[in-house]
Structures are given as structure tokens and as C-alpha cells.
Amino acid sequence: MKIEWTDAFETGIAEVDHDHRRLVELINELDAILSGGGDLGRVGAIIDALVDYADYHFHREERLLASVGYGEVQAHAEIHARFGQFLGEMIGACMLDPAPETARKLNDYLRSWLVDHILVEDMKFAAFMRGRAAPQG
């Protein structure tokens, strides 16, 4: 199922929203292929791109959070690390069983995790950053 980008996903932080949109694009591309709309030979390349971009995004986001003094940056980084570990396990499973059903399970997990992560965890730091930008008085 395709992720439809809505205003609910907007954190108000340009670089974070840009990265999230790119991750959604990659997950949607994978979904389209697995739903019969593309070349199954591209699945590996898309998964590689997702892993690389998620790693880039997580590091960038963690640096941003540290730079603004977000008190939960370590907990947020641990969530990213657990995701990365699980993603590695899922990719390993896909390599052992390259059937489309295995890739679909990975795609379903990615979609669910990203939507939940943006709407819950990332909105926490977005609120913190909005609060920091508010005039004191």
C-alpha cells in the first residue's frame, strides 16, 4: 500500500521533511514493484538505496537534535539503531529467501515503521524545536 504524503507528516524542519519525503518515495517505489508494477530486478537496488538513505538521514537528524540540545537525542538514536539492526536482519532474510513475499514483508515493515516514527517520535522533537523558536516573554 502506497504511503500518501500529507501535512500530518510535516515536522516543519525543512531538511528532515525533505529526507522523510525521499524515504517515502523509495518505499513507494518498492511497493509499486512488489505490487506488480515494475521490474523485480530493481528490488535489491531500491533496498540498498533505502538502507543508505536511512543511515544518512538518521545521522543528520541526530546531529541536528544534538545541536539544538534536545534532551532525548540518545533515546532517539537508540530507536534508529534498533531499526537499523532489525532492517539488517530483514535484508538478510530477503537474501536467504529472495521471494517477492519476503520483500513484501520488508516493505510492509518499512512503511509501518516510518509512518509511526514520523508521527510519534519525530513529532516530539519537532514540538521541542518549535518551542525553542517561540519568542520568550
Side-chain angles (χ1 to χ4, degrees), residues 1 24 40-41 47 52 66-67 74 83-84 87 93 107 128-129:
M1 179 188 317
V24 165
L40 284 174
I47 290 172
D52 289 345
S67 76
Q74 186 59 39
F83 171 78
L87 184 58
N107 189 59
F128 169 82
M129 290 179 71

Side-chain angles (χ1 to χ4, degrees), residues 16-126:
V16 171
D17 291 336
H18 174 270
D19 288 358
H20 289 165
R21 284 179 180 272
R22 179 63 184 138
L23 291 167
V24 165
E25 288 171 4
L26 288 165
I27 291 169
N28 284 343
E29 186 177 351
L30 181 60
D31 183 70
I33 289 171
L34 295 173
S35 297
D39 176 11
L40 284 174
R42 291 212 9 90
V43 168
I46 294 169
I47 290 172
D48 285 345
L50 266 164
V51 169
D52 289 345
Y53 202 83
D55 185 58
Y56 162 77
H57 167 66
F58 290 161
H59 285 96
R60 180 157 96 150
E61 190 175 87
E62 291 161 17
R63 283 190 307 274
L64 172 67
L65 297 180
S67 76
V68 297
Y70 182 60
E72 299 297 317
V73 66
Q74 186 59 39
H76 200 85
E78 288 171 10
I79 292 168
H80 289 165
R82 283 193 304 273
F83 171 78
Q85 181 180 4
F86 187 77
L87 184 58
E89 293 168 7
M90 291 287 290
I91 291 169
C94 284
M95 291 171 66
L96 290 173
D97 179 14
E101 294 78 30
T102 308
R104 260 189 219 95
K105 287 179 188 175
L106 172 62
N107 189 59
D108 290 346
Y109 174 77
L110 289 168
R111 183 178 56 248
S112 171
W113 187 90
L114 183 63
V115 167
D116 182 63
H117 186 74
I118 292 171
L119 294 177
V120 176
E121 297 303 326
D122 288 352
M123 289 306 168
K124 289 178 187 175
F125 75 72

